[in-house]
Amino acid sequence: MSDLSGEIIDNRYELISLIAAGGMASIYKANDLRLDRFVAVKIMHPHLANDEEFVNRFIREAKAIAALSHPNIVSIQDQGWNEGGAPAVFIVMEFIDGQTLRDLLFEKGRLTPSELLHYMIPVVSALSQAHGLGINHRDLKPENILISRDGRVKIADFGLARGGLLGSTMTVESSVVLGSVSYLSPEQVERGISDARSDIYSLGIMFFELLTGSKPYDGETPIQIAFKHVNERVPAPSTLVDGIPTALDELIVRATSPNPDHRQKNCSQLLEELQKIQVDLDPKRSQLSLDLDLPLPTATPKRKSARPEVRVGNTLVTRIKTFTEPTRIKNNPTKPTFIPEGTLKGNIEVPALSHSGEIRRKTSKRVRRNRIRFLLTLIVLLIIAGGYYFLADSGSGVSIPSVVGMSQADATTALSDIGLKTFIALKEIDSGVPAGKVISSSPGGGAHLKKGETVALTISLGAQVIPTPTPTPTPTPSPSATVAPVTIQSYVGLTSDQAQSELTAAGMVVNQTFAYSDTVAIGNVISQTPDGSSPVPPGTTVNLIVSQGSSTVYIPNVYSLSGSYASTELENLQLKVVVRKIGNGKHVTNVSPKVGTQVKRGSTVVITLG
């Protein structure tokens, strides 16, 4: 995509400079000509603007952010289509002048536990509110955490957000391809499903990376990394770095558990655990902090007692500081001293006051003002306590366990045991989930319901493959003909998991290799040998070639990005990067091949920093 700097979008937003680019869109710093302020304008790449699914997903991001109102989430201000000039589908967001968490990690190498808590507690707090509204981020990574110059932390890019407010149209393949594979939970990789605990898994991977300076898994291809998330266990950070508190170490191990039921049930619980660790690290730290960017309640200032009140007749007056008291009277500070009018005190005569009513009114007003301040402070504290109670899901009923993958009977029993009812909302064909197993539940695992309420289940009908009858072997007197050949089906176009499971169960040996495909979805079978056209003896090796995604990618727009950030963007697309510098250049001034060029994965891209 060409640089649109200088263009005016929707007759309102003047694009100033490119500040970031990704696989779906580019983000520009812009001037809102109507309100005269800086904003960030996110514009979808032109080659995707004709794809209805991508456009709908782009608009869902706008709706996702607009549904949220939290100081640690980048706010959305507008969305639309450019009617004149360069064609563009765009979102207008709050402009954050600063850097990403990825940039910070590049600079520091890794963070200390205290630094991690400082930056991530606001993130978890924001996600707690999003999850409360039924919105899961589904693409958490350091690139999507922004840090402003004044230190405020913001979550950006709800482009893969999913929840009740947004609908659920994302397919398994699209979610795996579009999500950042290094942070995907096992359930997202295996079944394309996610709930709040999937975001917790991604947070756990981020915590690990921030503390150790590296991701827990690496591989030559995204699918290799995805398989490791499913089949391996994330190690404790303390095995790589010394000085990590035991509580934080255990929190990360729990958050990255392959089983969603073993993780923290929601971000409210995770937030509470992080705040406790933060206080344990720094006992002087107030637990009521400004992580949410909310002002603390202001206490009523104490009045100085340097000028105690005295009563002249029926009137209260403040004793003047220059009074001399040869014989000092010990006064109760809460009880004014009575002095008759006209009496000499020291060398100064206290005059009789003619405006005693006015002074009484002022005193009464001060008392009322203090009472109002007290009541307002009490209300603020009650609101904060009520908000915490709501976010922590206190008293909200029972937590729904994950029943995905269970049989219908087991899921019904598990939910019945905690006082919830079930009904079958839908039965559908799903080649990735065996027949009779639960595909999904609504509400999903990790949500809360009151006892007696109902959970809707979607049950799999399986792959619905019509079985090929096995021919009856012709009797033969030969003693070696005791094992009948087996007819296997063709798994081309189906998932490799299904092929592996069913072929193994039929007594076959399965050998998988991977290849790129522009037509077969990632994780599905491209070709099979033997192809299933004729029976084969048990123990036969079946060779499967599995798709690892498209063989080509488009060169993204990385102009004006820092060298490290641009390199990461390109390497995530499995491109090799060569960096050339002009002087002390730090930002990309040229890209070869040109932005928007379709190239093979593994191709070399040269970026010039000027």
Side-chain angles (χ1 to χ4, degrees), residues 197 233 253-255 257-265:
R197 295 166 303 173
R233 192 71 171 84
V253 170
R254 183 180 172 194
S257 170
N259 186 338
D261 291 338
H262 295 166
R263 302 173 201 153
Q264 291 81 358
K265 64 180 181 180

Side-chain angles (χ1 to χ4, degrees), residues 243-467:
I244 296 176
T246 301
L248 183 57
D249 209 39
E250 293 173 350
L251 178 147
I252 294 171
V253 170
R254 183 180 172 194
T256 55
S257 170
N259 186 338
D261 291 338
H262 295 166
R263 302 173 201 153
Q264 291 81 358
K265 64 180 181 180
N266 53 42
C267 274
S268 295
Q269 180 182 347
L270 182 63
L271 176 63
E272 184 178 346
E273 293 178 9
L274 289 171
Q275 288 174 329
K276 184 178 184 303
I277 294 171
Q278 188 178 51
V279 172
D280 290 341
L281 286 177
D282 183 6
K284 296 180 182 179
R285 187 177 187 79
S286 171
Q287 295 188 45
L288 187 58
S289 67
L290 291 177
D291 289 327
L292 298 182
D293 295 337
L294 298 176
L296 291 171
T298 304
T300 304
K302 296 181 180 179
R303 290 190 299 131
K304 295 181 179 179
S305 57
R307 298 184 181 183
E309 294 175 333
V310 297
R311 185 176 295 278
V312 179
N314 293 323
T315 305
L316 283 171
V317 297
T318 301
R319 181 182 298 161
I320 302 172
K321 195 171 184 180
T322 56
F323 281 179
T324 57
E325 298 181 5
T327 305
R328 182 173 296 277
I329 303 174
K330 292 184 179 180
N331 297 322
N332 184 337
T334 62
K335 217 175 205 180
T337 304
F338 286 89
I339 302 177
E341 296 181 12
T343 304
L344 285 175
K345 185 63 176 171
N347 297 321
I348 300 178
E349 181 178 359
V350 179
L353 299 179
S354 60
H355 301 292
S356 59
E358 181 180 350
I359 294 176
R360 280 197 299 272
R361 283 195 299 274
K362 289 182 179 179
T363 302
S364 176
K365 186 181 294 185
R366 182 171 62 251
V367 171
R368 286 197 304 272
R369 186 164 56 247
N370 290 341
R371 185 180 296 125
I372 290 171
R373 286 175 177 169
F374 171 79
L375 290 174
L376 288 175
T377 302
L378 181 61
I379 290 171
V380 169
L381 290 173
L382 289 174
I383 290 173
I384 292 174
Y388 178 80
Y389 184 86
F390 173 77
L391 291 177
D393 288 331
S394 299
S396 59
V398 294
S399 175
I400 301 175
S402 174
V403 295
V404 172
M406 291 185 182
S407 68
Q408 179 182 333
D410 289 344
T412 300
T413 301
L415 295 170
S416 176
D417 288 345
I418 58 174
L420 298 177
K421 301 176 182 177
T422 59
F423 80 98
I424 307 306
L426 185 65
K427 290 187 177 182
E428 62 183 33
I429 296 173
D430 191 320
S431 60
V433 180
K437 302 288 187 179
V438 177
I439 298 175
S440 63
S441 67
S442 180
H448 286 75
L449 286 179
K450 294 180 180 177
K451 289 189 176 181
E453 292 188 323
T454 302
V455 177
L457 301 178
T458 299
I459 305 298
S460 174
L461 293 174
Q464 293 292 289
V465 177
I466 299 175

Side-chain angles (χ1 to χ4, degrees), residues 549-563:
S550 170
S551 62
T552 61
V553 293
Y554 290 91
I555 302 291
N557 190 341
V558 294
Y559 278 92
S560 301
L561 300 183
S562 66

Side-chain angles (χ1 to χ4, degrees), residues 7 42 52 144 184 193 196 267 286 382 423 429 494:
E7 294 278 350
K42 185 173 186 176
E52 184 178 356
N144 288 338
L184 283 180
I193 62 170
C267 274
S286 171
L382 289 174
F423 80 98
I429 296 173
L494 302 180

Side-chain angles (χ1 to χ4, degrees), residues 22-24 42 57 61 123 127 131 135-145 155-162 170 174-185 188 194-195 198-203 206 569 572:
M24 287 179 61
K42 185 173 186 176
R57 188 178 298 120
E61 177 182 1
V123 171
L127 287 170
H131 291 170
I135 297 175
N136 307 320
H137 192 286
R138 302 177 78 236
D139 193 25
L140 290 168
K141 54 186 177 181
E143 288 82 355
N144 288 338
I145 308 301
I155 305 178
D157 202 353
F158 275 77
L160 294 184
R162 182 176 183 179
M170 188 89 57
S174 63
S175 66
V176 172
V177 171
L178 291 177
S180 298
V181 70
S182 293
Y183 306 92
L184 283 180
S185 65
Q188 286 175 284
S194 65
D195 57 21
S198 303
D199 280 351
I200 289 176
Y201 183 91
S202 300
L203 287 170
M206 287 175 61
E569 288 289 321
N572 285 343

